[in-house]
Amino acid sequence: MEEVKVIGFWASPYVYRVTWALNLKGVEYEYQEEDVFNKSDLLLQYNPVHKKVPVFVHGGKRIAESTVILEYIEETWPQNPLLPTDPHARAMARFWTKFGDDKKPDFFGFFKSAGEEQIKAAKEAQECLKILEEHGLEDKKFFDGDKIGMTDLSLGWLAFWLEAMEGAAGVQVLDVNSFPRLHAWIRNLKEVPVIKENHPDQTRLLAYFKWLREMYTKPATT
C-alpha cells in the first residue's frame, strides 16, 4: 500500500477536514504534527507556494489546500462517497463548500476586532450563518442530505472552533434561538463516530484562541 501522510496542526479545522475524510473512507494514514509558528524545512519543501497546512502526501506525491485534497481523496478512494451521485447535488455541495471558504473574512471578523467594529463584524457573521441555515442546510439532516458529506466536513469548524472563538472574543454569534437548524446540524455532526472520536479538546482550543485573539487585538507599538 502506498504511503499516505497528513502534515497538520492540531488546531487547524482545515486539517480535520482531511483526517475526517480519510477516517470516513477507512484509509490508514500517518499524521505528522507541524509547528506553524516555526515552520519546518519539510513543510516549506512540501508546500513552497502557500507554506501552510494541511499537506497531503500519497505515494510520494504532495497536494496542498484542503478542498483540493478532499476532491483527491474522493476520486482516489470512492468507497463511502463524500459527494452525492446526482450531478446537481454534487454541484450544490461544491457551491456551499466554496461559499464557506469564500466567506472566511466575514465569519471570522468578530474574532479579530473589538468595540463597534466587533459588533458590526458579528452581524456580518450572522448574516452568513443565516444564508447557510436558510439556503444551504434548509430542513436536511446534513448539508448534503441524510448522510455526512464534503460540505459538512468543510463547515465542521462551526461545531467546535466557532464556540471557542466566541468564548475567546466574548461574543455569541450562533445562538440557538436564531439558528435552530444549524444547532440541530451540529448535534447530528457530533454524533457521527469519526467526528465524535476525533476533534480538538475544547479547553485547549479555547486557551489557544484567547492567546491568538490577544495577538490580533494587541495595540500596535511604534
Side-chain angles (χ1 to χ4, degrees):
M1 182 178 175
E2 291 185 304
E3 171 199 37
V4 178
K5 179 187 288 188
V6 178
I7 300 173
F9 174 59
W10 73 270
S12 169
Y14 305 104
V15 172
Y16 275 88
R17 291 178 176 184
V18 175
T19 57
W20 284 338
L22 291 170
N23 290 338
L24 279 168
K25 289 181 174 289
V27 178
E28 294 184 3
Y29 62 92
E30 175 190 347
Y31 177 79
Q32 181 172 321
E33 179 73 6
E34 173 69 28
D35 181 357
V36 297
F37 300 103
N38 184 25
K39 297 175 182 179
S40 67
D41 292 338
L42 182 66
L43 176 64
L44 300 179
Q45 174 190 343
Y46 277 13
N47 188 5
V49 178
H50 296 300
K51 303 177 178 63
K52 295 179 180 180
V53 295
V55 175
F56 184 73
V57 184
H58 181 212
K61 298 177 181 178
R62 305 183 293 269
I63 306 169
E65 294 298 301
S66 61
T67 51
V68 177
I69 296 170
L70 288 180
E71 292 277 2
Y72 178 86
I73 291 172
E74 177 73 345
E75 292 179 8
T76 305
W77 295 280
Q79 68 271 24
N80 299 326
L82 301 176
L83 288 168
T85 55
D86 176 73
H88 179 262
R90 292 170 73 90
M92 294 310 297
R94 291 185 171 106
F95 174 88
W96 289 112
T97 295
K98 188 175 187 301
F99 175 87
D101 286 345
D102 289 348
K103 292 295 183 179
K104 280 189 297 184
D106 296 319
F107 279 124
F108 299 156
F110 78 92
F111 176 72
K112 300 180 179 181
S113 56
E116 292 297 321
E117 186 180 345
Q118 187 186 54
I119 294 173
K120 179 183 177 184
K123 290 179 179 178
E124 291 173 350
Q126 289 177 324
E127 289 173 3
C128 292
L129 290 169
K130 183 61 68 175
I131 291 172
L132 279 178
E133 169 142 323
E134 294 181 353
H135 302 288
L137 184 58
E138 298 176 312
D139 294 319
K140 302 188 294 290
K141 182 177 181 180
F142 295 107
F143 276 90
D144 296 336
D146 293 330
K147 58 179 290 189
I148 188 172
M150 186 178 294
T151 309
D152 303 288
L153 301 184
S154 297
L155 293 172
W157 65 271
L158 291 170
F160 299 100
W161 287 262
L162 182 58
E163 180 182 344
M165 292 169 68
E166 289 175 322
V171 174
Q172 186 177 34
V173 295
L174 187 61
D175 64 283
V176 66
N177 293 325
S178 299
F179 304 100
R181 284 177 283 186
L182 280 175
H183 273 270
W185 167 78
I186 288 173
R187 290 193 297 271
N188 291 329
L189 187 74
K190 287 183 175 182
E191 287 303 311
V192 176
V194 299
I195 307 294
K196 196 172 186 177
E197 298 163 4
N198 180 29
H199 61 80
D201 177 77
Q202 204 66 21
T203 301
R204 186 184 182 195
L205 200 60
L206 176 60
Y208 169 71
F209 277 123
K210 283 182 176 180
W211 171 81
L212 200 60
R213 178 167 165 78
E214 287 183 7
M215 300 299 103
Y216 283 126
T217 58
K218 183 182 296 182
T221 56
T222 56

